[in-house]
Structures are given as C-alpha cells and as structure tokens.
Amino acid sequence: MLEINGKSVYNSLCMGKLYFYGMNKRTVKREKTDTPETEVRRFMSALTAAKKELHELYEKALLQVGEDNAQIFQIHTMMLDDEDFYGAVINTINVQKVNAEYAVSYTSDIFARTFREMDDEYMQARASDVCDISERLINLLSDNSGTDTIPEPSIIIADDLTPSETVQMDKDKILGFVTFRGSQTSHTAILARTMNIPAVINTGEISPEHHGKTAILDGFSGALYIDPDELTIQEYKKRKALEEERAKLLSELRGKPTETKSHKKVNLYANIGSPRDLAAAVQNDAEGIGLFRSEFLYLEASDFPTEDEQFRKYKEVAEGMCGKKVIVRTMDIGADKQIDYFKLPCEDNPALGFRAIRICLTDTKMFKTQLRALLRASAFGNISIMFPLITSLSEVIRAKALVAEAMQELEDEGIPYKKNIETGIMIETPAAAIICDMLAPEVDFFSIGTNDLTQYTLALDRQNSALEPFFDPHHPAILRLIENVIQNAHKHGKWVGICGELAADLTLTEAFVNMGIDELSVSPSFVLKVREKIRDLD
Ligand code: PEP
Ligand code: MG
C-alpha cells in the first residue's frame, strides 16, 4: 500500500480505480516552416473555432453548474482575445518560422510560468487557465477532440485540472479528484466543491504507473491510499458506513428548531462565499446566512464587478433564502485576500495594513458601488449589511453615512430598497471588542469574527502554519472578549452572533449558549451538527 498526502478541499471518502486524466496528451513537435503566413492563418482559424467552442461550453455550463462557474469560459474567451497572448503566438511563428502548434505551446509555457511565479495565489491558479486555452487551440490545430473518455467511475488524477476539463467530464464517472498542484481558490477546487466531489490537491507528482489501480481517497485527512491493504479497506468501509449513517441521522434534524431542552433558541445561520454555496446552505437547513463573504465576488473577477453584476448575485442569494436573514459583509479585501486589479501597495504587514473597511472608506466610489448593489438587492429579500475590521466609532459613523448617501441616490433615482435595512459590524479586532459598549448604540447587531479576533488578540499571524502550536482560540482572553461583547450588546438591546470558525467548535457551544449568544453562523456542513449539539443542551 502506498500513502500519498495532500490538502483536502472537500471532506468525504471514496474508493475506486485511479484514472490518470490527460495521460494520452500528445507531445507538440517543433517543425520548421517556409510559409509562416500559412501557419498564422491556421492559428487564426483555430482561434475563431476555440471561441466558438467556448461559447457553447459557456451555454452548457450555465445550465449545469450556474452562471458563476460558467463565467470561466468567458474569461478564457477574453484570454484568447488578449493581444499580448495571440500577438506573442503570431510573433513566434514569424520569428522562429515554426508550426502553429509549437508556437501556441511555446507561448503558453511562458505565460503559465509567469503566472505561476506570481506571489498571489489567485494569479498562480490562472496558469492552469492558460494551459487550458492552449490545449484547446492545439487540439483544434491537430484536429483532436482532446477529451478523455473515462470508462468507469474512477478517482481522477491529474496535474492540475482545468475548469473546462472538469465541466466536460461525465460526472457519473467521477468518484473523486486528486491534483498534483492547485490551490484552495483554483477553479478546480471551487468546481469540485460545487459538484460535491471529494477532492485533494497539492499531492505532488504521482507516477502514472498507478493508472487503473484501486485506491481510497480520504478527503478528511487529505490522504490517498493506493493498493490499500485489507485492514485499510475494512477501516474505510466502516468509516463510509458511519459517514452515511451520520448524514442520515443529522438530516432528520432538518426542520427542527435550534433550541436547548429548556427552549433557549439560537439562530443558526450559514457562512457562504458566493450564490453557488446557497444550495448547501438550504440543503443543510440553515436558518439564514450569517456571513456572505462578498469579497469572493471580487476575487473571482478579473476587474471590479459592476453594480449590476453585484446586484444580481446579492439578489440571487436574497431570493434563494426566501425572506430569511442574509447578512452580507462588505468586501474584506487585503491581507490574505489580494487582488491584482486593486493595485494595493506592497506592505510589510498586510494583516495590519490597508484592508477591508480601510479600503472602502478611502475609495468611497468603489464602496458606494457595492452599497448601491446591496441596497437594490434588499428590495428582494431580507438583507443586512455588515462592515468588517472595525476598530473605531468614527469608522462606523462614516460607513453608515455612505449607506445613507447611497440610499439618497437610489431615492432620487426612484429605485426601490429596504429603508429600514439592518446594519451591523464585525467584532474582529481587540479594539472593537473593548469599546463595544460605545459601538453598540450605532449598530443593529454585532457578529464576532473569531478568526481575526484570535489573530489580533494573541498577536499570531493566522496564515503562518509554523505558529499552529500557539494558535489557541480557546485562550481565556478570547473567551473573555466574547463574553464582554455579548453582555454589552445586550445592555444596548442589540443581538450578537459569532461567524468565525469558533462558532462551529462543539466543545464551546454550551459556553456560548450560557453566555447568551443569539446567533451562530457556520459552514453549511456544520449547521446540523451544531443544531444537534444545541438540542442536546439542558
Ligand atoms: C473572522 O475573522 O472570524 C471572519 C469570519 O472573517 P474572515 O475569516 O473572512 O476574515
Ligand atoms: Mg475576518
């Protein structure tokens, strides 16, 4: 038995044959030509055909996996339209006097390497998009469909699957995904989660000699067991049966109230990053959305999303939740969430730098675009607005003033919005937790972001895995701050929730309920587990 470890991006278990995707990809030969103009013509018609294919794929994906995931094909079309890219291919053909296939492969290698070497994880992930478009062009030039036909349900192994490869695959034939590279924000990871497929990334290269062998993919630990021994198979079967049994038991809690035995009710909401997570929230019976991390709309885009684009997404979530509360956090860009087109300054301490509300209160035009989109969407459901990384009263007052300005604009334009929309703030800095009594009169609610609150209170960079042994969200300083926030919120008649990872920590659920927490917002897959825990409390 061979054990290979990677990073899990979707928690589940599966067992099946390994299928090395793309193993039969042809190698592109470099051929000299005396007629580069013919090669340029061949390239241009492949370019047109590729765009046509991408349009068809977009239409197909729109039906299968929704607009968010389909958008990648529009991005690929934009990449094909990029003069830097196609100009470089034509230049290679003319200067090196080579065949079009080789020029495409040569150019895409350079572009992909450039992306891979960038610091930003999101931009690194774009390397696979370049490979994807180049693969499509080469297939067209060599008259090859390029798609692998997976013969039976298998665990798919690949270097780094491109989104179009993933969408084109027959879903019934996929048991799980393993990729040698990739990142949490790569489209492969995003699509795998959307498709409900266990996935492990960053395993490092796996030899294709294992093609066809039986394996177990443990999406909980991130391990792949090739040729598992009898003991591991028995263990897997037990865990799989337990997983199914547990899921069945938990699903019986759907529709049941989230309250303790003595009828203390807690609002149990879900955290989402985009409208495509809505299905999971609804499936797990979330009573609302406690944190919609709106920055993911910006992270997935290649330029600032327009007011209309944002409006459509917020409206989709508001309508999808059918009148239940949807708390949208205004964009929390900066620190670990860097975006090229924001052109943020390079900082020594980005976690303590220009991020979140600080960007919004500086670039008020951009902020107002988001606020207008949110307010417009508020006419279609129960949206609340929440500001991140608050440290002072003046930030809250300025943010609210911008909401009022946006409201006035919509009023003047005769556009409907929810006039009494709730506004709240995240308590995720020690400053906010300490002055929460001063902040409470200005807001409708608090939501405690324990991820950042832990980072800033314990002076521990949450991105630095070397600090893992010191990262202690159960530290009494954190628990005292949480208790202080709950007490002060209640003194001012405001409700308070927790939306950081700690909200799903079942060892603390009882303590939070005893402190008087009003709301817990967790990943969709944790909703029923937390409900079960609360219903067990006396
Ligand atoms: C938090 O800081 O706890 C939080 C919920 O926000 P994020 O993890 O997105 O920073
Ligand atoms: Mg945070």
Side-chain angles (χ1 to χ4, degrees), residues 291 293 295 329 332 337 355 426 428 448-453 462 499-501:
L291 170 65
R293 290 180 161 99
E295 60 275 10
R329 171 174 76 185
D332 184 13
K337 295 166 196 150
R355 59 171 289 205
M426 293 206 56
E428 52 182 349
I448 306 173
T450 49
N451 308 336
D452 275 317
L453 188 62
R462 69 191 253 199
C499 63
E501 291 308 303

Side-chain angles (χ1 to χ4, degrees), residues 14 81 95 155 255 324 423 437:
C14 72
D81 278 332
V95 173
I155 299 171
K324 290 179 180 161
T423 50
D437 56 327

Side-chain angles (χ1 to χ4, degrees), residues 47-66 69-77 80 136 140 145 163-164 167-168:
L47 201 63
T48 310
K51 285 193 245 175
K52 188 167 168 278
E53 274 187 11
L54 283 168
H55 180 71
E56 285 161 9
L57 275 170
Y58 172 75
E59 298 288 324
K60 184 177 166 193
L62 206 57
L63 296 175
Q64 277 188 1
V65 288
N69 293 316
Q71 260 176 14
I72 188 63
F73 299 112
Q74 289 185 315
I75 293 173
H76 283 189
T77 308
L80 288 176
R136 182 175 306 286
L140 285 161
S145 84
S164 55
V167 167
Q168 284 173 80

Side-chain angles (χ1 to χ4, degrees), residues 266 450 454 472-476 478-480 482 486 498 500-517 520 530 533-534 537:
V266 177
T450 49
T454 308
D472 176 16
H474 289 205
H475 193 293
I478 308 297
L479 299 179
R480 280 191 198 177
I482 293 175
I486 297 173
I498 301 176
E501 291 308 303
L502 218 55
D505 186 332
L506 302 179
T507 66
L508 286 175
T509 313
E510 185 166 9
F512 293 150
V513 172
N514 286 338
M515 287 179 196
I517 200 76
L520 292 171
V530 175
K533 180 77 193 177
I534 291 175
L537 298 177

